Amino acid sequence: LVGSEMCIRDRVSTDRLDGLIFLGNPSLGSLQDRLKKMNSVGVLSEASGEYHWTDWVTSDYRARGNMAVNYFGDRGHTHIGYINPQPYHTGFQVVQQFFLMRANKCGIDATVFADKDTNLRWEKARGHRDEIMDTLVEEMLSVSSGKRPTALFAANDETAVDLYKSLRKHGIEPMEDIDILSCDNDRTHLSRLTPQPATMDLNLEVIAERTVEKLLYRIRNPKAFKGVETYVPPTIIPSDASEKFKINH
C-alpha cells in the first residue's frame, strides 16, 4: 500500500484482500476506519499511536546510534560527530538520541551537527544541499582542535555524498584526515565515493521476510493482539579505506 488516500481508495476493499502491507506512513484519512478491520503490517517506518491497530516491522534506529558509537570507540576515537541535515526526520531523531546517550555512557565526546532549518529544505531544493552541508562542516571545524571530531557518522549514504564534497572543499580528505561511517549500504550513492566509507546495511531482506511472516500470522490469527513492533538491527560493512585509517591513526 503506497500513496495518498485519493490514490489508494479504490484499491482497498475488505472483501477483496486477505491482508495488506503499508510502506511508510500513508495518508489514510477516511480509509483508516476501513483498514482497521483488515489484517495489515506496516514496514520501514516508525510506528506511532496513530497506527496502534496494526503491527510494524522496521529498521532499528536505536541500534544505528548505539552501533555507530561502538564502532568509533573500538577504533580509538574519543571525539565523534553525527551529521544530520534532516532534523525533522523522525528516525534520524531517534538515531541522534541514542548516539548521544551511548557516547555519554562510553565516555566519548559526541556532537550533533544538524540543520537548524526544519522546513524540509533538504528535499525541496537540491541547490540548498551544498549550503546546508557547508554550514555543518564549518560548524564542525569551529570546534577547538582538541575537541574536534576525528570521526563522523553520516545519517545515510546520500548525506555522505554531500559530506565528502564539502569536506574536500574545506581541505579535509575523507578516510585520511577524518574517519567516516555512513548508513543504508546504497550502492547508487556509495559508488560515487572514493574511497568508500564503512556503511550500515539495513538488512532489507530480513525486514521483508519478517513483514511477510507477520502478515501471514495476522491472517491466520485475526484476533491476536495488535500493535506489535519488530526492529531489525543493521550490519556494519567495513571498507578497505576504513581499515587503513585505523592502522595509520
Side-chain angles (χ1 to χ4, degrees):
L1 180 62
V2 183
S4 65
E5 175 188 1
M6 183 177 297
C7 294
I8 64 179
R9 182 185 295 116
D10 295 334
R11 290 186 285 167
V12 176
S13 169
T14 55
D15 297 328
R16 293 187 299 174
L17 297 177
D18 293 319
L20 59 85
I21 294 172
F22 294 93
L23 177 61
N25 286 333
S27 176
L28 300 178
S30 61
L31 280 174
Q32 185 160 301
D33 288 338
R34 188 190 309 178
L35 295 178
K36 285 181 179 180
K37 302 175 183 178
M38 302 182 67
N39 302 308
S40 63
V41 178
V43 63
L44 289 179
S45 182
E46 282 291 292
S48 66
E50 182 180 359
Y51 301 105
H52 60 85
W53 41 268
T54 188
D55 295 335
W56 289 88
V57 181
T58 188
S59 176
D60 193 338
Y61 289 101
R62 299 166 299 181
R64 294 189 202 183
N66 289 332
M67 291 172 64
V69 174
N70 292 343
Y71 173 79
F72 287 142
D74 288 344
R75 294 165 66 74
H77 295 287
T78 56
H79 300 281
I80 62 178
Y82 177 52
I83 298 288
N84 180 16
Q86 300 169 268
Y88 43 80
H89 189 295
T90 304
F92 292 170
Q93 291 173 8
V94 175
V95 175
Q96 176 177 313
Q97 176 187 359
F98 280 82
F99 181 83
L100 293 174
M101 290 192 332
R102 181 61 181 170
N104 181 64
K105 185 174 182 179
C106 294
I108 295 175
D109 182 48
T111 306
V112 171
F113 304 99
D115 185 27
K116 304 302 188 292
D117 188 334
T118 59
N119 294 320
L120 305 177
R121 64 174 180 161
W122 186 261
E123 285 88 357
K124 287 181 178 178
R126 176 70 201 181
H128 285 304
R129 294 193 175 188
D130 290 345
E131 174 190 343
I132 294 170
M133 190 57 69
D134 285 346
T135 298
L136 300 185
V137 168
E138 287 163 8
E139 183 181 345
M140 185 268 294
L141 292 175
S142 70
V143 178
S144 59
S145 58
K147 295 184 177 181
R148 185 179 302 161
T150 56
L152 294 173
F153 178 34
N156 56 21
D157 295 330
E158 184 178 14
T159 296
V161 172
D162 294 281
L163 176 60
Y164 265 50
K165 180 179 179 182
S166 183
L167 287 172
R168 285 178 169 141
K169 184 189 300 185
H170 290 83
I172 302 170
E173 186 58 31
M175 304 308 298
E176 290 186 15
D177 300 323
I178 193 165
D179 205 357
I180 306 291
L181 171 64
S182 186
C183 187
D184 282 358
N185 196 23
D186 186 333
R187 308 318 298 180
T188 301
H189 298 301
L190 290 175
S191 64
R192 300 169 59 190
L193 301 177
T194 304
Q196 290 187 5
T199 188
M200 289 185 179
D201 186 278
L202 301 186
N203 293 315
L204 295 178
E205 291 186 1
V206 177
I207 290 176
E209 290 172 0
R210 296 294 180 271
T211 301
V212 173
E213 289 171 0
K214 269 187 172 288
L215 182 59
L216 293 176
Y217 174 82
R218 180 63 55 198
I219 291 172
R220 292 192 297 266
N221 303 274
K223 295 184 179 181
F225 179 82
K226 296 182 179 181
V228 177
E229 301 172 25
T230 299
Y231 294 92
V232 177
T235 300
I236 293 181
I237 308 298
S239 71
D240 292 339
S242 64
E243 288 307 306
K244 178 181 178 182
F245 185 100
K246 182 178 180 181
I247 293 172
N248 290 341
H249 292 69

